Structure formats: C-alpha cells, structure tokens
Amino acid sequence: APVPIYLVDPEDGEVIFASKRATTSGANWLVEGPRQQLSFWPQLREYLESHGEAFRNDGTAEIEIDAKDTSEVPAARHVVASSLLYGEAKAWCITVTDVTRRREAEAALQEAKETAEAATRAKSEFLAVMSHEIRTPMNGVLGLIELLNETELPAKAKGFVGHLASASQHMSDLLNNILDLSKIDLQA
C-alpha cells in the first residue's frame, strides 16, 4: 500500500513537499499548524538528536512513535527518515507507516503463545498428579496379586490370577510411561 512521503526541512520540521498519499484525508493528521510542520516532529527531532551519530553515519533513522488513539489517528507509526539534498538544500525524506494492526497482531500472538504454554503446563501437571494418584493404589493391587499367586489355589483360579497379574503389570507400565512423559514435559 502506498505510504505518505514527506520532504522536511531538518531545521524546523517544515514540510517542503508532500506526496499525493500524504495529502489525502487518511494521512492529513500527520501535518499540523500554519507552517505545515509534521505532528510528530518534536519526537522525531529528539530521537535524531539523541541518536545523531548513528543517523549521520548512514543517513537513515527508524523510529516507532505512539500517537493518541482516536478513530482518525493510528495508535502507532513507523517512521523512516533519510537525509538527502533537495536542490541545494539539505532535507529529510520521511515515510510514515501505520503499524497499529501489526502491534495488535503481535500482542495477540504473544497472548496466544502464553495461553498455549499455560495449557501445556496444566496438562503436564494434571498427568503427573493423576498418574501418581493411580499408580499408588495400582502398586497395592500388584502386591496383593503377588500374594494371591503364592497361595494354594485351584488351577483355574491360578490361571485367572496369572491373567490379572499380566494385565495389572501392563497398566502399571503404562502409568509409569505417562508419569515419565509428564515429568519430561514439565522440565521442558
């Protein structure tokens, strides 16, 4: 999308030239006052003066400036200023991009990431607690099956106890695996 472009006097921020996009109703909030000075000129000037060495080295500066949040004024602007000659005079070429939506998307993405991480932690904690709570009585069942297996039982009952011991051991192994995975998850 086209962005507003301004040529600005570096001494006072007065607009020397403005592109067609800069003069349309969507961007006219950038210029104010009888001398047609950029509305964010004080912030930009302060930034350029405080980072002057970096600006003088390559002639370009980038800054994000917050504005009043109204329906006409974006909440955030990305400003790029480049030093150049306009005829015989020194000027800055300034482009302005509304980055409000990008900032909102970044904030929403960060919030979604934090929510997903919290859900993962909650799941891992739940699995760790549940598998521990189930494993404790399961160990008691395995002990009782072992004692039952050592008693004198009819052959048919011994077969049932053997199946019970095998199934209980598989369940115990499964619970141990779940507990191990949840511990790994919690440490990550």
Side-chain angles (χ1 to χ4, degrees), residues 117-128 186:
E117 288 171 347
T120 298
R121 279 191 306 276
K123 174 199 63 135
S124 296
E125 290 169 5
F126 173 78
L127 285 174
L186 280 173

Side-chain angles (χ1 to χ4, degrees), residues 6 16 22 38 45 78 106 113 122 156:
Y6 301 89
I16 301 167
L38 291 176
R45 178 79 177 189
H78 180 82
E106 288 170 352
K113 178 182 176 260
K156 191 172 184 179

